[in-house]
Amino acid sequence: MPFDDFKSVLFPTYAKPDLDFVRGIGAELETSDGRRYLDFIGGIAVNCLGHAHPALTAALKGQADKLWHLSNMFAVPGQRELAARYCQHSFADAAFFTNSGTEAVECALKAARRFHHVNGEPQRTEIISFEGAFHGRSYGAMNAAANPRYLEGFGPKLPGYVQCPFGDLSTLEQLIQQQTAAVIVEPIQGEGGVRPLDASTLTELRSLCSAKGVLLIYDEVQCGAGRTGKLFAHQWADHTEPDIMALAKGIGGGFPFGLCLARQDVADSMTFGTHGTTYGGNALAVAVGHAVLDVLLEPGFLEHVQTLHSHFVDSLRRLGDAVPDIELEVRGRGLLIGVKSTLPNTDIRNAARDRELLVGVAGDNVVRMAPPLNISTRDIDRAVTILHRAFLDVRQGISE
């Protein structure tokens, strides 16, 4: 059946280009007709080690010959060990495995409310988030972020969610009341335009939550797993440890995998029967998760991501000098990079794709890029060259 004939059998929730990718290797994707594209979307910051990484494929194939799935009614091979490794390298004392970032966020929201309930403050149910946030597509996560575009048509807003201007701690302090359970924040907003909170803001946020007796939840679904050159993005600042953290995307390297980390007293509030998952942290996911973490923790790996960041950002800024009539702002940390310009971001994305570079778009008219953490400087230079041509293509198209 021709490619076009398949379109009507899927929900029309994505505007997919007519590209039929059949294989990937490293930072490249290949179509059925042999065209090769440089992939700087990375499955939306998921393929942290690129396509077909040998350690990940070996882990998956090795586990597939043994055991796929048990459910969490039984001990899953390697699950406790992987939880212990993440706790060892973070603030956390306990973990709950999920399939996705949305589910990790839902677990975090439930755990925050349940913690206060167990500790004699059942009125503390309100969750405060920041404008521009994205926490997932489930009903609870959508309401936490409260993006009107995502909420439209899905009935009334859920009670118990309040939004604060991005990074505005003065307003946040006023919003925190006796009914507040937690504040949820992305240390770097991905969907919102690759907007980082600076180190001092994160430190002050931690202090404010502690002083007010509310839990601090980090959504590091996109900016965790080494994406910024630290294992977790909040580790760029001192004294910023959360009480709960949601992870996903990169921790599975392309295999569906999520994780909710928490300090012990928060985890202990989630008693028998309060939460569950059928697939979360199954044997296949855990095997791949171990392999991903092995690579991320190799000596010098994350430091090299920081070096790549400097090279990438310097190259993009020189690109701005090369097209001075186009105002250009470079954002982000590590290999989560945003470029804001005076040209429409969707036009830049499309022009880059026409030249066989895949980039994404985000809020605030930003072109968003999340290449593999093991990308080469040669591929970074190649991407910047294509972006330069894409900017010129779009500028010329507008002037005509």
Side-chain angles (χ1 to χ4, degrees):
M1 184 180 292
F3 179 82
D4 286 347
D5 291 345
F6 281 108
K7 290 186 175 179
S8 61
V9 302
L10 299 174
F11 276 30
T13 53
Y14 285 94
K16 300 179 182 181
D18 285 338
L19 292 173
D20 186 14
F21 292 117
V22 294
R23 66 181 57 86
I25 184 71
E28 288 192 327
L29 284 166
E30 185 177 334
T31 63
S32 57
D33 58 0
R35 288 176 292 163
R36 297 175 73 91
Y37 286 74
L38 190 56
D39 181 11
F40 271 46
I41 297 175
I44 316 179
V46 167
N47 301 319
C48 64
L49 300 177
H51 299 279
H53 188 281
L56 274 58
T57 56
L60 184 60
K61 290 176 181 178
Q63 185 59 47
D65 287 334
K66 300 174 185 176
L67 178 68
W68 287 28
H69 179 71
L70 282 170
S71 88
N72 285 285
M73 293 175 63
F74 304 96
V76 175
Q79 192 183 84
R80 289 176 179 171
E81 292 81 359
L82 186 57
R85 294 180 73 189
Y86 269 103
C87 290
Q88 178 186 355
H89 291 281
S90 74
F91 72 98
D93 302 299
F96 185 93
F97 290 102
T98 69
N99 304 286
S100 66
T102 292
E103 291 171 79
V105 167
E106 289 285 345
C107 181
L109 298 175
K110 287 179 66 175
R113 288 175 167 174
R114 178 74 182 180
F115 170 80
H116 292 293
H117 172 83
V118 168
N119 286 279
E121 295 187 283
Q123 81 284 357
R124 285 191 178 271
T125 59
E126 193 170 84
I127 308 292
I128 301 176
S129 64
F130 289 91
E131 293 173 359
F134 180 82
H135 297 302
R137 298 282 190 161
S138 61
Y139 205 43
M142 280 198 312
N143 277 268
N147 185 322
R149 182 162 62 95
Y150 296 146
L151 288 172
E152 182 182 0
F154 296 106
K157 293 181 181 179
L158 291 179
Y161 294 96
V162 175
Q163 280 68 52
C164 178
F166 182 68
D168 186 346
L169 297 192
S170 296
T171 299
L172 177 64
E173 186 170 9
Q174 297 172 24
L175 290 173
I176 294 176
Q177 303 293 328
Q178 289 301 311
Q179 68 270 24
T180 305
V183 174
I184 183 170
V185 62
E186 300 158 275
I188 302 176
Q189 285 191 346
E191 189 77 10
V194 193
R195 298 194 297 173
L197 286 172
D198 60 52
S200 62
T201 300
L202 282 174
T203 301
E204 291 174 27
L205 176 59
R206 171 68 275 179
S207 297
L208 177 59
C209 289
S210 297
K212 296 290 187 178
V214 304
L215 299 180
L216 176 58
I217 303 170
Y218 286 150
D219 178 344
E220 292 218 22
V221 168
Q222 186 165 153
C223 61
R227 176 55 55 184
T228 67
K230 299 281 189 181
L231 190 57
F232 309 115
H234 71 271
Q235 292 173 335
W236 283 99
D238 295 328
H239 310 296
T240 58
E241 291 81 5
D243 303 298
I244 311 172
M245 182 164 63
L247 297 169
K249 291 188 181 288
I251 69 168
F255 197 94
F257 203 20
L259 181 61
C260 181
L261 294 173
R263 69 186 203 208
Q264 193 66 61
D265 54 348
V266 176
D268 287 345
S269 69
M270 297 293 282
T271 52
F272 179 78
T274 57
H275 198 52
T277 174
T278 298
Y279 290 103
N282 76 5
L284 296 174
V286 166
V288 177
H290 274 291
V292 171
L293 192 56
D294 287 344
V295 176
L296 297 182
L297 295 179
E298 287 177 358
F301 183 86
L302 294 176
E303 289 76 11
H304 186 57
V305 173
Q306 297 171 31
T307 300
L308 292 171
H309 167 85
S310 297
H311 180 83
F312 199 178
V313 168
D314 290 345
S315 299
L316 288 169
R317 286 174 178 157
R318 287 195 296 272
L319 167 60
D321 295 337
V323 283
D325 54 332
I326 300 172
E327 296 179 21
L328 188 146
E329 176 191 348
V330 182
R331 303 174 174 179
R333 277 193 181 275
L335 291 176
L336 179 58
I337 301 293
V339 178
K340 179 179 179 179
S341 77
T342 49
L343 298 176
N345 61 352
T346 52
D347 289 354
I348 299 299
R349 175 199 62 196
N350 295 345
R353 189 172 64 221
D354 289 344
R355 293 182 175 273
E356 299 181 345
L357 169 67
L358 304 177
V359 298
V361 295
D364 203 22
N365 197 44
V366 164
V367 173
R368 176 174 44 170
M369 292 172 282
L373 302 182
N374 53 355
I375 191 81
S376 67
T377 54
R378 180 174 176 272
D379 280 337
I380 289 175
D381 293 342
R382 178 181 160 200
V384 173
T385 298
I386 295 174
L387 277 175
H388 183 195
R389 293 170 180 165
F391 275 103
L392 296 178
D393 290 345
V394 174
R395 184 182 62 181
Q396 181 178 351
I398 291 174
S399 63
E400 292 175 351

